[in-house]
Amino acid sequence: MHKLILVKHSLPEIDETKPAKEWGLGFEGRVRCKPLADQLMGYHPDVVISSVEPKAYQTARVLVGLLDEPTLPWETMEGLHEHDRSDVRFLDRDEFEKRVAEFFAKPSQKVFGAESADEAHDRFAHAINGVIEKHGNRTIIVVAHGTVISLFVSRLANLDPFSLWKSLDLPSYIVLSLPDFGLLKIAPSLNHE
Protein backbone atom coordinates (compact mmCIF):
# COMPACT_ATOMS: atom_id res chain seq x y z
CA MET A 1 0.00 0.00 0.00
CA HIS A 2 1.34 3.41 -0.98
CA LYS A 3 1.03 6.38 1.33
CA LEU A 4 0.67 10.13 1.28
CA ILE A 5 2.60 11.68 4.18
CA LEU A 6 1.64 15.26 4.89
CA VAL A 7 4.41 17.01 6.82
CA LYS A 8 3.93 20.31 8.60
CA HIS A 9 7.17 22.23 8.07
CA SER A 10 9.74 22.61 10.83
CA LEU A 11 10.14 25.57 13.18
CA PRO A 12 10.71 28.83 11.26
CA GLU A 13 12.79 31.78 12.34
CA ILE A 14 10.14 34.42 13.07
CA ASP A 15 10.69 37.88 11.64
CA GLU A 16 7.82 40.16 12.70
CA THR A 17 8.72 42.62 9.92
CA LYS A 18 8.00 40.09 7.16
CA PRO A 19 4.90 38.09 6.19
CA ALA A 20 5.02 34.51 7.52
CA LYS A 21 5.13 33.20 3.94
CA GLU A 22 8.69 34.62 3.71
CA TRP A 23 10.05 33.02 6.89
CA GLY A 24 12.76 30.38 6.58
CA LEU A 25 14.19 27.83 8.97
CA GLY A 26 16.66 28.78 11.64
CA PHE A 27 19.12 26.51 13.41
CA GLU A 28 16.50 24.93 15.70
CA GLY A 29 14.22 24.26 12.73
CA ARG A 30 16.99 22.35 10.98
CA VAL A 31 17.80 20.37 14.13
CA ARG A 32 14.14 19.35 14.46
CA CYS A 33 14.26 17.76 11.00
CA LYS A 34 16.44 14.89 12.31
CA PRO A 35 13.78 13.12 14.44
CA LEU A 36 11.31 13.74 11.62
CA ALA A 37 13.63 12.03 9.11
CA ASP A 38 14.22 9.16 11.55
CA GLN A 39 10.47 8.49 11.71
CA LEU A 40 9.77 8.96 8.00
CA MET A 41 12.62 6.70 6.88
CA GLY A 42 10.53 3.64 7.78
CA TYR A 43 7.92 4.60 5.19
CA HIS A 44 10.47 4.31 2.33
CA PRO A 45 9.34 7.44 0.49
CA ASP A 46 9.73 7.59 -3.27
CA VAL A 47 9.46 11.34 -3.74
CA VAL A 48 9.28 14.54 -1.67
CA ILE A 49 7.17 17.49 -2.83
CA SER A 50 7.03 20.81 -1.03
CA SER A 51 5.22 24.10 -0.94
CA VAL A 52 7.09 27.00 -2.51
CA GLU A 53 7.29 28.84 0.82
CA PRO A 54 10.86 28.96 2.24
CA LYS A 55 10.09 27.23 5.56
CA ALA A 56 8.52 24.31 3.69
CA TYR A 57 11.07 23.85 0.91
CA GLN A 58 13.93 24.26 3.37
CA THR A 59 12.34 21.57 5.55
CA ALA A 60 12.07 19.34 2.47
CA ARG A 61 15.67 19.97 1.44
CA VAL A 62 17.03 19.15 4.92
CA LEU A 63 14.73 16.13 5.16
CA VAL A 64 15.90 14.70 1.83
CA GLY A 65 19.51 15.05 2.96
CA LEU A 66 18.76 13.24 6.21
CA LEU A 67 16.74 10.40 4.67
CA ASP A 68 19.99 8.85 3.44
CA GLU A 69 18.57 8.48 -0.05
CA PRO A 70 20.92 10.52 -2.27
CA THR A 71 18.78 9.91 -5.34
CA LEU A 72 15.42 10.66 -3.68
CA PRO A 73 13.74 13.17 -6.00
CA TRP A 74 12.21 16.31 -4.57
CA GLU A 75 10.59 19.38 -6.03
CA THR A 76 8.37 22.32 -5.15
CA MET A 77 4.83 22.63 -6.42
CA GLU A 78 2.44 25.55 -6.64
CA GLY A 79 -0.83 25.35 -4.72
CA LEU A 80 0.58 23.68 -1.61
CA HIS A 81 1.23 26.99 0.18
CA GLU A 82 -0.36 28.05 3.44
CA HIS A 83 -3.73 29.79 3.72
CA ASP A 84 -3.10 33.25 2.25
CA ARG A 85 -2.67 35.65 5.16
CA SER A 86 -0.02 37.82 3.54
CA ASP A 87 -2.15 40.91 4.25
CA VAL A 88 -2.35 40.17 8.00
CA ARG A 89 0.05 41.94 10.37
CA PHE A 90 2.00 39.93 12.95
CA LEU A 91 -0.29 38.85 15.81
CA ASP A 92 0.53 37.57 19.30
CA ARG A 93 -0.24 33.89 19.90
CA ASP A 94 -3.62 34.39 21.62
CA GLU A 95 -4.96 36.76 18.96
CA PHE A 96 -3.62 34.53 16.18
CA GLU A 97 -5.38 31.47 17.64
CA LYS A 98 -8.67 33.40 17.96
CA ARG A 99 -8.46 34.41 14.32
CA VAL A 100 -7.64 30.87 13.18
CA ALA A 101 -10.56 29.49 15.25
CA GLU A 102 -12.89 31.95 13.50
CA PHE A 103 -11.41 30.96 10.12
CA PHE A 104 -12.26 27.30 10.75
CA ALA A 105 -15.68 28.12 12.28
CA LYS A 106 -16.81 30.18 9.26
CA PRO A 107 -15.35 28.22 6.34
CA SER A 108 -17.23 29.96 3.54
CA GLN A 109 -16.32 33.49 4.71
CA LYS A 110 -13.12 35.47 4.31
CA VAL A 111 -12.67 36.29 8.00
CA PHE A 112 -8.88 36.04 8.20
CA GLY A 113 -6.59 36.73 5.27
CA ALA A 114 -7.31 36.69 1.55
CA GLU A 115 -8.82 33.17 1.35
CA SER A 116 -11.75 31.55 3.07
CA ALA A 117 -11.22 28.10 4.57
CA ASP A 118 -13.21 26.60 1.70
CA GLU A 119 -11.05 28.37 -0.89
CA ALA A 120 -7.81 27.32 0.82
CA HIS A 121 -9.04 23.73 1.10
CA ASP A 122 -10.09 23.55 -2.55
CA ARG A 123 -6.76 24.97 -3.76
CA PHE A 124 -4.73 22.61 -1.57
CA ALA A 125 -6.86 19.55 -2.46
CA HIS A 126 -6.46 20.37 -6.16
CA ALA A 127 -2.67 20.57 -5.70
CA ILE A 128 -2.60 17.25 -3.80
CA ASN A 129 -4.57 15.61 -6.60
CA GLY A 130 -2.01 17.02 -9.05
CA VAL A 131 0.83 15.52 -6.99
CA ILE A 132 -0.87 12.12 -7.04
CA GLU A 133 -1.60 12.30 -10.77
CA LYS A 134 2.04 13.16 -11.47
CA HIS A 135 3.64 10.62 -9.14
CA GLY A 136 1.18 7.74 -9.42
CA ASN A 137 1.59 4.64 -7.30
CA ARG A 138 4.35 5.81 -5.00
CA THR A 139 4.81 6.80 -1.38
CA ILE A 140 4.83 10.58 -1.40
CA ILE A 141 5.92 13.07 1.24
CA VAL A 142 4.35 16.51 0.88
CA VAL A 143 5.88 19.24 3.06
CA ALA A 144 3.30 21.95 3.57
CA HIS A 145 1.59 23.96 6.31
CA GLY A 146 -0.58 23.39 9.35
CA THR A 147 -3.73 25.22 8.33
CA VAL A 148 -4.14 23.68 4.88
CA ILE A 149 -3.12 20.22 6.12
CA SER A 150 -5.70 20.51 8.91
CA LEU A 151 -8.41 21.59 6.46
CA PHE A 152 -7.64 18.71 4.11
CA VAL A 153 -7.35 15.93 6.70
CA SER A 154 -10.25 17.09 8.87
CA ARG A 155 -12.61 16.94 5.91
CA LEU A 156 -11.39 13.50 4.88
CA ALA A 157 -11.53 12.00 8.38
CA ASN A 158 -14.39 14.02 9.90
CA LEU A 159 -12.16 15.64 12.55
CA ASP A 160 -12.43 19.05 14.15
CA PRO A 161 -10.03 21.21 12.07
CA PHE A 162 -9.14 23.66 14.85
CA SER A 163 -8.30 20.87 17.32
CA LEU A 164 -6.19 19.14 14.70
CA TRP A 165 -4.43 22.42 13.83
CA LYS A 166 -3.66 23.14 17.49
CA SER A 167 -2.22 19.65 17.99
CA LEU A 168 0.34 19.85 15.16
CA ASP A 169 3.86 20.77 16.25
CA LEU A 170 6.69 22.13 14.10
CA PRO A 171 7.37 19.69 12.44
CA SER A 172 4.72 16.97 12.59
CA TYR A 173 3.11 14.63 10.10
CA ILE A 174 -0.03 12.74 9.10
CA VAL A 175 -0.07 9.51 7.09
CA LEU A 176 -2.87 8.68 4.65
CA SER A 177 -3.27 5.54 2.56
CA LEU A 178 -3.42 5.83 -1.21
CA PRO A 179 -5.49 5.82 -3.29
CA ASP A 180 -8.37 5.96 -0.76
CA PHE A 181 -7.00 8.70 1.57
CA GLY A 182 -7.65 6.58 4.66
CA LEU A 183 -6.22 8.08 7.85
CA LEU A 184 -3.44 5.81 9.15
CA LYS A 185 -1.53 7.96 11.63
CA ILE A 186 -1.32 11.42 13.16
CA ALA A 187 2.09 12.21 14.66
CA PRO A 188 1.36 15.62 16.21
CA SER A 189 4.63 15.97 18.12
CA LEU A 190 8.12 14.58 17.74
CA ASN A 191 9.14 15.61 21.30
CA HIS A 192 11.59 18.43 20.55
CA GLU A 193 12.95 19.11 24.00
Side-chain angles (χ1 to χ4, degrees):
M1 175 175 43
H2 296 287
K3 296 169 184 68
L4 173 64
I5 304 165
L6 299 172
V7 173
K8 180 179 176 183
H9 63 80
S10 194
L11 182 70
E13 199 164 63
I14 295 172
D15 181 346
E16 295 180 18
T17 67
K18 294 181 179 177
K21 71 178 188 174
E22 295 177 16
W23 297 347
L25 297 186
F27 176 77
E28 178 64 22
R30 287 176 170 77
V31 168
R32 288 182 178 204
C33 290
K34 176 69 170 116
L36 175 65
D38 291 345
Q39 290 192 30
L40 296 181
M41 203 173 299
Y43 290 99
H44 308 289
D46 297 303
V47 63
V48 177
I49 312 295
S50 118
S51 154
V52 298
E53 290 189 32
K55 58 187 168 276
Y57 74 70
Q58 289 170 6
T59 299
R61 188 174 60 217
V62 173
L63 186 59
V64 167
L66 292 169
L67 284 172
D68 201 28
E69 290 287 335
T71 60
L72 183 66
W74 82 277
E75 63 188 81
T76 59
M77 182 175 274
E78 293 291 335
L80 297 172
H81 56 278
E82 181 59 291
H83 159 244
D84 186 350
R85 341 185 240 262
S86 54
D87 61 344
V88 176
R89 65 174 172 73
F90 184 81
L91 303 171
D92 67 40
R93 185 73 189 165
D94 289 341
E95 181 63 24
F96 182 71
E97 285 190 10
K98 285 181 198 171
R99 300 287 300 275
V100 171
E102 183 181 16
F103 167 81
F104 285 125
K106 299 176 181 176
S108 64
Q109 299 175 36
K110 289 182 185 175
V111 295
F112 183 41
E115 286 180 304
S116 69
D118 287 344
E119 290 168 335
H121 171 270
D122 292 349
R123 183 234 329 133
F124 186 76
H126 180 74
I128 290 293
N129 287 330
V131 166
I132 292 167
E133 284 175 23
K134 181 175 181 179
H135 295 286
N137 294 324
R138 303 169 92 184
T139 291
I140 305 164
I141 293 175
V142 171
V143 182
H145 308 272
T147 308
V148 289
I149 290 172
S150 297
L151 283 168
F152 185 72
V153 173
S154 67
R155 293 180 184 198
L156 287 172
N158 197 27
L159 301 172
D160 176 65
F162 182 66
S163 297
L164 179 58
W165 175 83
K166 275 195 67 128
S167 75
L168 297 177
D169 200 358
L170 295 160
S172 51
Y173 67 95
I174 298 173
V175 183
L176 303 170
S177 59
L178 289 176
D180 63 344
F181 293 112
L183 179 60
L184 299 175
K185 179 178 184 173
I186 298 175
S189 177
L190 305 178
N191 300 318
H192 312 290
E193 292 161 9

